[in-house]
Amino acid sequence: MSRSPEAPRRRSPVARPLHRARPTDGRSAPAALLAALLLALVTPPVRAQSTDADAPVADVGAADDVGAAQFALLCARCHGLAGDGKGAEVLDRPARDFTAGGFSFGNTIEAISRTVSFGIPGTPMPSFGEALEPDVVEALARHVRTLAHVTEDATEEETILRVDDRPVALRGGLPPITEDAPAHPRGLLLGLPGGLTFEYRVPDLALLGVRLGDLAKRTDWTGRGGSTLEPLGRVVWLNGAGAPDPMTWASPRGPTEPVTAELRAIRTPASGATLTWDALAPDGTLLARVTEHVAAVSSPLGAGFARTLVVDGLPAGRFDLFQAASPGAALVEYGKRSVVAREEGGVELVTATWRAGDDQTDGEVLFATSPRGARLAFPSDGRRTFTLLTLWPAAWEEPATPEQETQLRATLDAAHAAALPEVDR
Amino acid sequence: MTSRRTALGRCTQRRGAPRTARTVHPRRRDRRRGATTIAALLALATGAAAQEGEPLTEGEPVAEVAAADTAVTRAESEHWVVERYVTPEGELLEVGGLDWMPDGRLVVSTRRGQVWMVEDALADDVRDARFSLYAEGLHEGLGLNVLEVPDGDGTRHALYVLQRGELTELRDEDGDGRAETWLRVADDWGLSGNYHEFAFGLPDDSDGHLYLSLNLGFLSPEWWLGRSVAEYRGWVLRVDPLTGETTPWAHGFRSPCGLGFDRHGRLLLTDNQGDWMASTPVYAVQRGAFHGHPASLDWTPDYLDNGLHASVEQPSEVPRTPPAVWVPYEWSRSAGNLVPMPETFGPFTDQLVMAELTNGHLMRVQLEEVGGVVQGAVLPLRQRVGSVVRVAFADDGTLVGGLTNRGWGGLDPADGLLRVRATGTPPTEVDRVHLVDGGFEVTFTEALAPGLPVGPETASVLQYDYDYWWEYGSPERHQTDVAVAGASLSEDRRTLHIEVPDLRAAMCARVTLHDVVGESGRPLLHDTFAYTVNQLADGSHTDELVAKTVPPPPPRQSGKEGWLRLSYGDALDAWESTGWSLVDADLDPDDRSTFRVTPGVNALVNVGHGSPSHYRSRWDFGSGTYHVEFMLPEGGHSSVWVQGRYAIELTDDTHGLPEWSHGTGAILRSFDESTPARPPRADAYTGAGHWHVLEIDFEAPRFDADGAKTDDARFREVRLDGAVIHEDVAFDMPSQLGLGGPGDEVSLGPLVIAGQTGPVALRTLEFRPDREAQPSTEGWLSLIGGDDLAGWTHLPPEAAGSEDEDPSWLLEDGELVGEGPASWILSPKGDYTDVSVRASVRVNDGGDAGLLLRAAVEGDRVVGYEAQINTSFADPSRTGGLHGVAPVKVELVPAGTWFDLEVDVTDEPDGTRVRIAVNGVVTTDHLDTSRRFASGHVALQQHHEGGVVRIRDLRVKRR
């Protein structure tokens, strides 16, 4: 809606009705009444009934005057001056009684503005969008809401959720985690004490990213509801730019197929948050029952997070699990650990440990790194526990001596051990 | 304002202890600012007492919910006490689900995704009820069920909550009073992300299945039409909670907020008034059946298998199951669930309580089967209690109601819980209503007063029905007072028989009882009920439904409206030709194989010296009716080519027909000769020297998005002098020697009459394009809202009228009329750049007007891209042309006839394109390389005194 500098805009400053004078127009008497009331409305109103002293009073001033004036001019003829539906106009059905609530498309400013602009096709409610400027439409909508006694929405602050001292699961729609990622109508935020939030899309339980900060704003507690959550934490780790690849599985002599993860349960006891899910083949065959723990980690090296997967697999074959490196990073391969330079500085250090049953090691498990991230491949029968530890050391130096290497390994082993949930011991 | 910290993660309460330690905000109160003022002023003006109720205050003991009492609600309060629970400070319970735990606790789920346990909900003092938070963080919770399920050899009670996207079982496995375990039971339905896609529930049947219902979405731009854009939106689903198996159950719903079973095992569902829903319906849901809103048909096997999408603007042919009860508009706009009344609640038999959230009523609904169809009555129970959306009974007969109306509005209070109990004084009420042969049988909760006079005046009956259409709701139609022939009371004085012999099926009946008093001396508490007569009780059967499909809008007026005259006035302007002239013509008496032409205006003849061209229209046409009048000399030959491609032969047979010819009216053979020429079905050609009328009803070929042809061109009907000579002829390829080649077919093409094959005379050439009866209004905003021209500017300013002068422009019955001396009127907004404007226009004989886009005032004129509106005024520039730049001189539309005008202005890389279409045919396609007008108003011009221009349905669309 740009305005050409060449074409001057001229508007009649006063909106006057342009009826041809009709001597038999029976509305002349109420018109005078309306005019008197209109005059009364544009002067500061006397409050006939006191409202609560602590109720914040919005800026009623000029905007309300415009809304009230336009309402009297355009709307009162059908909806009545009090908005009670008792206007003079004869319609095939009663005009909406705003005082009784129950708006056709919602009572938010946005919904009422849209109804005023477009009308309601198929009903006597006309469209006013081309006759009124947007700010006038909004003033009208605000005025209509006062007639309808719409209770105040939850304020910004009221919708902000923060995690206290136990983990929290939050279900809701998720907005795109990055610009190019999609929104997810079925989403999950697992918030841990200390400020880490794990963001999942529910249909395949892909971990989209990890955030640090407050949990989320429940915007769907306002208006008509149904809007997405607004995660509040800053994204500190992103899995494959927010649209990760699924885990795969291959039977001993078969092709590699993507695995569907189907949620079974979310648990948030004080001891930590877990997801239980089934790994399914494309044809629906159950491949494994998985329990996924997420935890915040702090170690002498730095802070980070751990994902522990307890996999109870069934058929012979191999799983392949991938955890992407944060985007924009260069990878240096270290065999049992991957070190990735982060865009915002520092490195991302990913290490993995695993156990099969009571064994501490398992030669059939492969942990490898690639330019895209870290990969775990393992047999799909039996029970194995994996922990993927992602740390962000503030300062990093490659160990130069065997002693430094040993020291680093010990630190990491300790961090791994601490990250394992008690349940699994 | 302090931040709202929820105690997420903190559970300091033991199971059942009341919640206290939370940092919370002050509880919000109702705010009534402007309304108070206006109401007070109105009261001053009219002398009426303003109706205001006391806002409800938290924490005080309330015996009554006293919002805007009326006489009836005060009377109701003598029989039903309504008490409001005290919810924890700072918490808002927008209730979505209610049920009872086996230990007597009430469980409540809310729109905010919380689940609360309420202990002592039935305590004598409602303030003694204690709330504790059981779970939070769910994605809404608009249904809840505590269900006894098998557990090994025994059973346990499982708590199910319906989130927006999942049916979830909540468990408190560590016994700390909080459900830390959420088990996914089922989520086999679609979510597109649209705000309106709520999931409601959650009743159980006798086999332990749970039922849920799914809302449609309302998306831009046609946000008033509900759509089913994700799986099973608009459906009821049945879930086996033990296996998660989900079965699609029924469809055709819009916003199915309330589900519940009655005592007869019927699944009842309430939907909300809106598109395809005339009022609030109560359905007895039929498995596998379609219940009215077409959007959800997309997920039925028929539609899925064939990749079809149901129209949301045209009624479907699929038979629909009608509602059992239509709730009148004044009682309900949005209803919640129904729940059967226990005997402990009140003196009522076999009926249900229904929650109503906009008026804030509790209603009574009762059902019966008549003629094999479920139907029944509805009437108020306890009104104006607040926006109640969920109701549930406790075993002791207490009715608990959960409230919410956020986003749509309704009667306050708008959140929380209430309970309703009988006072012990039973009301005098209608108990049951039965439809019987010839009328109604109404049973009362007590015997009526002895000696009460009873007769035809005891009852009045009004019948009405509704429209079934995409429009939002329907007023009551065909309201008819139906005579009550008589009324009689049974011996025990408890049953009134009302004779209504003229009662009609497929209509609702509103029955009001007059002067009915019980033997207790009390009058009837509620004197009116609404009964939905789907079928009569006399053994007859009707296939009609109460909500009747509304006929489509009436077709365009007959006559010349909709036609374009291609040879009227300047007969050659609309055609590209050389060697044709406007003359008078008849057969040359000396050589009847040619014409004798003299100066005149009655024929177009290809008399030119040298070789005349074909007569080819300047413009391109598609589907519609082509009207060509022609005359042939002896032995003459020509042909008429629709779109230049589908040809009818014109050959005079005075001297016999050549071998290749099949006579006048034949369809020429196809390009590759695979389809031979088709002779006319009837011999209607009457010879040389006579004028004939050839009319072709043509359907242009259709193409898909890649340009591949999906439908052949067709002659629907061809008539010669009124006789049908062809019917339903499809062309798999054009006629031989048509424009382009065998594969070159188009949606729009010129009309061509052969002029190179011998002399032929033409006169009236007309085309009537096929138009949609109701063109889509999607994206088209009306420029004329209301019934005055507020915001429009006049030039000169006096044209706006004054005490002495009528205004030049005014609105009369929705038509913008321009008269008087020269003036312009400019739209309120002046920032249109790429824009389309359309309207129906009519100008009188001698009148001249214009529709300008990107218009602005320049000195004492308004300039812009001007589409000319002129039939017969002296200015040679006529309707269809761009005034001053690319005129159209032929008189396309007769004076005083309505036509459709559309003007599009678009900036293109090389200039500004202006397109003008009359009755859908593009008559101007001009590129203004100078880009004279960049932006501006929509304006209308009235050219001179004596002209009258009328404009209807003026709409604009920004692009």
Side-chain angles (χ1 to χ4, degrees):
Chain A
M1 271 176 66
S2 62
R3 290 175 188 174
S4 161
E6 301 147 278
R9 279 183 66 230
R10 287 207 212 155
R11 286 186 49 112
S12 169
V14 175
R16 286 186 296 151
L18 292 172
H19 281 290
R20 187 202 291 273
R22 290 181 195 150
T24 57
D25 185 355
R27 294 184 210 155
S28 52
L33 176 65
L34 275 176
L37 286 168
L38 180 58
L39 197 58
L41 284 168
V42 298
T43 57
V46 173
R47 298 196 182 279
Q49 183 171 332
S50 65
T51 53
D52 298 309
D54 60 340
V57 177
D59 178 21
V60 187
D64 202 32
D65 288 347
V66 169
Q70 288 293 328
F71 187 88
L73 203 58
L74 297 172
C75 320
R77 117 186 84 233
C78 293
H79 288 284
L81 199 58
D84 56 7
K86 297 186 170 72
E89 195 83 23
V90 174
L91 306 164
D92 68 357
R93 70 190 77 189
R96 178 71 63 191
D97 175 0
F98 301 131
T99 65
F103 286 76
S104 306
F105 298 103
N107 62 5
T108 59
I109 296 283
E110 186 222 342
I112 299 176
S113 297
R114 190 156 53 174
T115 303
V116 170
S117 286
F118 283 83
I120 301 178
T123 73
M125 173 67 192
S127 71
F128 293 95
E130 288 303 315
L132 300 175
E133 290 293 302
D135 57 338
V136 174
V137 169
E138 193 185 308
L140 252 181
R142 288 190 188 284
H143 180 75
V144 167
R145 272 169 60 96
T146 67
L147 298 177
H149 321 157
V150 178
T151 52
E152 290 283 308
D153 258 346
T155 65
E156 285 256 317
E157 273 303 305
E158 288 161 5
T159 60
I160 290 176
L161 304 184
R162 300 185 177 91
V163 178
D164 203 341
D165 56 8
R166 63 184 282 169
V168 164
L170 196 56
R171 296 289 301 265
L174 288 173
I177 192 168
T178 60
E179 240 173 48
D180 299 320
H184 297 289
R186 288 183 167 94
L188 167 66
L189 295 176
L190 281 181
L192 303 183
L196 274 190
T197 299
F198 293 79
E199 185 165 329
Y200 291 87
R201 66 177 184 228
V202 172
D204 64 355
L205 280 186
L207 178 63
L208 303 175
V210 176
R211 296 174 180 267
L212 180 67
D214 285 341
L215 181 55
K217 208 188 285 184
R218 283 233 73 136
T219 63
D220 62 340
W221 287 1
T222 64
R224 296 172 300 187
S227 54
T228 54
L229 300 172
E230 196 185 308
L232 291 173
R234 176 176 66 89
V235 176
V236 293
W237 176 82
L238 204 55
N239 193 1
D245 294 328
M247 191 160 94
T248 62
W249 178 77
S251 64
R253 266 172 287 280
T256 303
E257 296 176 309
V259 164
T260 307
E262 207 173 76
L263 174 69
R264 289 189 64 79
I266 303 169
R267 288 184 172 81
T268 52
S271 53
T274 59
L275 302 178
T276 313
W277 47 278
D278 288 345
L280 304 173
D283 65 0
T285 314
L286 178 65
L287 300 171
R289 286 256 149 85
V290 182
T291 304
E292 179 171 341
H293 302 261
V294 290
V297 165
S298 69
S299 85
L301 272 174
F305 69 93
R307 281 173 84 192
T308 300
L309 296 170
V310 181
V311 181
D312 274 302
L314 306 169
R318 283 185 78 74
F319 280 119
D320 213 302
L321 173 68
F322 185 76
Q323 181 170 294
S326 289
L331 192 98
V332 181
E333 188 171 320
Y334 267 86
K336 286 277 200 224
R337 56 181 183 259
S338 84
V339 179
V340 169
R342 282 151 60 87
E343 245 179 357
E344 56 259 49
V347 301
E348 184 172 284
L349 173 65
V350 180
T351 53
T353 55
W354 51 85
R355 294 206 313 269
D358 293 322
D359 296 337
Q360 291 300 309
T361 59
D362 185 340
E364 296 190 62
V365 176
L366 169 73
F367 175 67
T369 55
S370 75
R372 287 168 55 235
R375 184 170 153 242
L376 266 175
F378 51 96
S380 57
D381 58 320
R383 183 179 223 242
R384 286 178 176 77
T385 303
F386 301 91
T387 299
L388 279 163
L389 187 72
T390 305
L391 289 173
W392 307 300
W396 171 257
E397 263 178 39
E398 281 304 318
T401 68
E403 292 78 25
Q404 285 177 345
E405 179 67 39
T406 309
Q407 175 65 34
L408 175 63
R409 292 236 190 103
T411 308
L412 289 173
D413 287 344
H416 271 276
L420 277 173
E422 291 180 8
V423 174
D424 199 50
R425 291 254 155 77
Chain B
M1 196 175 272
T2 52
S3 76
R4 180 180 189 275
R5 291 192 59 184
T6 72
L8 287 178
R10 183 201 331 202
C11 178
T12 55
Q13 286 79 13
R14 290 185 325 276
R15 185 174 184 167
R19 305 191 69 225
T20 50
R22 298 250 306 244
T23 312
V24 292
H25 60 89
R27 172 150 177 78
R28 70 181 61 74
R29 316 270 184 151
D30 302 337
R31 300 209 162 84
R32 305 175 184 194
R33 296 194 296 272
T36 307
T37 312
I38 290 168
L41 284 169
L42 192 64
L44 285 172
T46 63
Q51 283 192 329
E52 281 290 351
E54 292 287 321
L56 194 66
T57 17
E58 268 314 290
E60 291 173 7
V62 273
E64 283 300 314
V65 176
D69 272 345
T70 63
V72 177
T73 58
R74 276 194 288 276
E76 289 170 351
S77 66
E78 287 172 37
H79 310 285
W80 312 107
V81 167
V82 181
E83 298 172 296
R84 196 159 137 93
Y85 286 85
V86 180
T87 49
E89 173 127 16
E91 298 292 344
L92 208 67
L93 265 65
E94 299 171 319
V95 178
L98 285 176
D99 205 349
W100 301 92
M101 296 289 281
D103 61 6
R105 285 178 297 166
L106 176 66
V107 194
V108 181
S109 63
T110 74
R111 287 172 73 177
R112 287 190 169 189
Q114 297 175 329
V115 178
W116 294 83
M117 293 285 184
V118 187
E119 284 193 14
D120 296 320
L122 304 177
D124 285 340
D125 189 340
V126 73
R127 289 170 297 171
D128 289 341
R130 305 223 169 278
F131 286 73
S132 57
L133 186 64
Y134 186 65
E136 60 183 335
L138 300 166
H139 192 181
E140 297 173 347
L142 294 170
L144 185 149
N145 196 314
V146 178
L147 195 63
E148 192 172 354
V149 296
D151 186 27
D153 292 331
T155 65
R156 64 182 178 92
H157 282 82
L159 200 161
Y160 297 99
V161 175
L162 182 60
Q163 303 187 60
R164 178 174 277 238
E166 185 182 286
L167 176 62
T168 310
E169 187 192 339
L170 302 183
R171 288 196 201 166
D172 174 16
E173 283 179 346
D174 57 13
D176 67 349
R178 290 284 300 276
E180 80 296 321
T181 299
W182 296 357
L183 301 165
R184 177 191 145 270
V185 175
D187 59 10
D188 272 335
W189 60 88
L191 282 183
S192 77
N194 183 254
Y195 77 96
H196 199 261
E197 290 172 344
F198 298 103
F200 298 106
L202 183 69
D204 58 286
D205 66 14
S206 51
D207 294 323
H209 297 109
L210 293 170
Y211 292 75
L212 58 102
S213 52
L214 301 169
N215 261 16
L216 299 177
F218 286 85
L219 303 90
S220 295
E222 286 172 319
W223 43 272
W224 55 87
L225 292 171
R227 292 184 196 274
S228 183
V229 295
E231 240 185 338
Y232 296 123
R233 308 303 324 177
W235 283 68
V236 169
L237 304 179
R238 182 188 76 174
V239 178
D240 179 344
L242 301 176
T243 63
E245 186 189 346
T246 305
T247 309
W249 195 255
H251 55 284
F253 304 109
R254 178 183 176 272
S255 187
C257 179
L259 277 177
F261 277 94
D262 70 3
R263 294 212 192 284
H264 305 274
R266 299 183 190 113
L267 178 63
L268 303 176
L269 179 152
T270 58
D271 208 318
N272 278 213
Q273 185 199 41
D275 50 316
W276 300 101
M277 294 285 169
S279 181
T280 294
V282 178
Y283 287 99
V285 177
Q286 278 191 308
R287 182 177 187 176
F290 168 62
H291 292 72
H293 195 296
S296 50
L297 287 168
D298 283 6
W299 306 102
T300 55
D302 274 349
Y303 281 77
L304 275 177
D305 293 344
N306 296 306
L308 299 173
H309 287 288
S311 166
V312 293
E313 283 178 294
Q314 296 295 324
S316 167
E317 304 268 302
V318 177
R320 62 191 147 101
T321 300
V325 176
W326 283 105
V327 185
Y329 180 85
E330 74 260 22
W331 285 338
S332 170
R333 258 79 41 69
S334 293
N337 69 322
L338 295 96
V339 62
M341 267 186 219
E343 280 175 14
T344 40
F345 176 67
F348 302 115
T349 315
D350 189 22
Q351 49 203 280
L352 307 111
V353 175
M354 183 181 86
E356 202 287 332
L357 60 146
T358 42
N359 293 323
H361 294 336
L362 295 165
M363 307 290 293
R364 275 197 286 140
V365 172
Q366 44 188 265
L367 303 172
E368 58 178 351
E369 256 184 59
V370 175
V373 166
V374 183
Q375 58 192 44
V378 58
L379 71 169
L381 170 68
R382 179 69 171 90
Q383 297 174 88
R384 306 187 69 80
V385 301
S387 292
V388 57
V389 70
R390 288 287 182 260
V391 284
F393 275 104
D395 288 337
D396 69 351
T398 303
L399 175 68
V400 176
L403 312 175
T404 180
N405 71 27
R406 166 169 61 92
W408 278 269
L411 189 77
D412 289 329
D415 58 80
L417 287 168
L418 49 78
R419 68 184 191 188
V420 182
R421 286 174 156 170
T423 57
T425 313
T428 306
E429 289 255 50
V430 165
D431 181 14
R432 289 282 312 190
V433 176
H434 293 287
L435 184 70
V436 295
D437 190 352
F440 292 99
E441 227 172 56
V442 180
T443 310
F444 300 95
T445 55
E446 60 170 302
L448 299 189
L452 186 77
V454 155
E457 69 287 346
T458 303
S460 48
V461 177
L462 176 81
Q463 286 209 279
Y464 55 93
D465 62 10
Y466 294 111
D467 293 342
Y468 171 70
W469 200 249
W470 63 261
E471 63 186 18
Y472 189 99
S474 167
E476 292 175 6
R477 301 281 194 212
H478 308 116
Q479 288 179 323
T480 317
D481 287 305
V482 184
V484 174
S488 58
L489 209 49
S490 63
E491 232 185 86
D492 64 359
R493 300 196 315 275
R494 280 191 79 140
T495 302
L496 179 71
H497 183 99
I498 309 170
E499 288 166 44
V500 193
D502 299 328
L503 199 67
R504 293 175 53 190
M507 294 189 84
C508 294
R510 186 184 277 105
V511 179
T512 304
L513 302 171
H514 306 284
D515 304 318
V516 172
V517 181
E519 68 181 356
S520 61
R522 275 193 303 269
L524 261 194
L525 183 52
H526 300 104
D527 59 8
T528 303
F529 61 84
Y531 189 96
T532 301
V533 185
N534 284 326
Q535 299 291 342
L536 288 171
D538 61 1
S540 66
H541 176 86
T542 180
D543 287 331
E544 288 210 322
L545 305 182
V546 172
K548 298 179 175 58
T549 306
V550 173
R556 290 182 167 280
Q557 290 165 14
S558 58
K560 278 316 197 179
E561 208 175 283
W563 286 89
L564 294 171
R565 302 184 302 187
L566 303 171
S567 57
Y568 198 92
D570 188 332
L572 291 130
D573 175 62
W575 303 87
E576 287 160 9
S577 67
T578 51
W580 290 71
S581 303
L582 189 64
V583 294
D584 274 354
D586 61 3
L587 291 191
D588 188 338
D590 299 330
D591 179 6
R592 290 172 63 83
S593 69
T594 187
F595 292 115
R596 175 177 63 181
V597 296
T598 51
V601 294
N602 289 310
L604 283 157
V605 183
N606 53 344
V607 291
H609 303 295
S611 97
S613 71
H614 295 312
Y615 207 57
R616 175 185 169 141
S617 68
R618 257 215 282 160
W619 305 316
D620 294 330
F621 309 112
S623 305
T625 302
Y626 295 80
H627 178 107
V628 174
E629 292 182 19
F630 68 94
M631 177 170 64
L632 291 167
E634 286 188 2
H637 174 66
S638 177
S639 42
V640 174
W641 297 74
V642 175
Q643 294 192 325
R645 287 162 170 83
Y646 314 100
I648 296 274
E649 180 188 351
L650 306 176
T651 305
D652 175 72
D653 59 354
T654 305
H655 308 300
L657 287 174
E659 188 199 357
W660 49 262
S661 164
H662 292 78
T664 296
I667 296 175
L668 295 183
R669 66 183 171 190
S670 65
F671 233 108
D672 67 353
E673 298 176 26
S674 63
T675 307
R678 273 169 278 238
R681 202 164 80 178
D683 188 5
Y685 179 67
T686 52
H690 298 287
W691 285 100
H692 300 276
V693 177
L694 177 69
E695 277 207 341
I696 304 169
D697 292 343
F698 172 72
E699 226 170 85
R702 275 191 274 262
F703 306 88
D704 64 13
D706 301 315
K709 187 168 73 162
T710 56
D711 295 281
D712 286 343
R714 279 173 56 229
F715 284 170
R716 291 193 291 251
E717 201 179 86
V718 183
R719 296 175 291 280
L720 184 60
D721 293 333
V724 177
I725 56 170
H726 296 286
E727 208 169 9
D728 209 23
V729 177
F731 293 86
D732 64 343
M733 73 174 65
S735 308
Q736 193 169 50
L737 301 180
L739 290 181
D744 184 1
E745 297 187 80
V746 292
S747 9
L748 295 173
L751 179 63
V752 184
I753 297 128
Q756 292 179 339
T757 51
V760 60
L762 304 172
R763 57 180 191 191
T764 303
L765 302 167
E766 293 184 335
F767 173 63
R768 185 186 62 190
D770 280 355
R771 310 292 310 285
E772 288 167 11
Q774 263 200 343
S776 163
T777 52
E778 178 189 347
W780 290 93
L781 288 180
S782 172
L783 268 171
I784 307 169
D787 67 357
D788 60 43
L789 292 166
W792 289 73
T793 325
H794 297 256
L795 187 76
E798 306 82 76
S802 62
E803 261 153 78
D804 309 317
E805 294 267 344
D806 281 346
S808 293
W809 296 87
L810 44 86
L811 279 179
E812 265 178 12
D813 299 324
E815 271 176 41
L816 176 61
V817 183
E819 290 174 282
S823 71
W824 291 262
I825 182 169
L826 294 101
S827 61
K829 296 191 179 172
D831 59 351
Y832 299 105
T833 51
D834 286 1
V835 67
S836 300
V837 177
R838 76 178 194 212
S840 291
V841 183
R842 189 174 106 186
V843 68
N844 65 339
D845 200 2
D848 184 0
L851 170 64
L852 297 96
L853 268 60
R854 298 196 184 176
V857 174
E858 246 182 39
D860 63 345
R861 311 169 39 77
V862 172
V863 296
Y865 291 111
E866 183 178 346
Q868 181 70 323
I869 298 168
N870 172 24
T871 295
S872 54
F873 181 63
D875 186 344
S877 173
R878 300 290 158 89
T879 295
L882 187 59
H883 185 72
V885 175
V888 162
K889 297 181 207 152
V890 66
E891 236 179 87
L892 285 172
V893 182
T897 305
W898 286 99
F899 62 94
D900 293 328
L901 184 65
E902 184 176 331
V903 188
D904 314 318
V905 178
T906 317
D907 285 331
E908 288 186 356
D910 295 321
T912 302
R913 186 162 298 276
V914 182
R915 250 192 215 100
I916 299 173
V918 179
N919 287 344
V921 172
V922 175
T923 53
T924 294
D925 193 353
H926 174 79
L927 189 70
D928 172 23
T929 50
S930 73
R931 301 188 194 273
R932 170 87 171 86
F933 305 106
S935 77
H937 297 257
V938 174
L940 289 152
Q941 179 215 28
Q942 156 66 352
H943 189 266
H944 57 265
E945 181 92 281
V948 180
V949 62
R950 291 174 179 276
I951 294 116
R952 279 206 298 238
D953 208 29
L954 178 62
R955 287 182 181 270
V956 66
K957 185 184 204 174
R958 292 177 193 270
R959 291 178 287 103

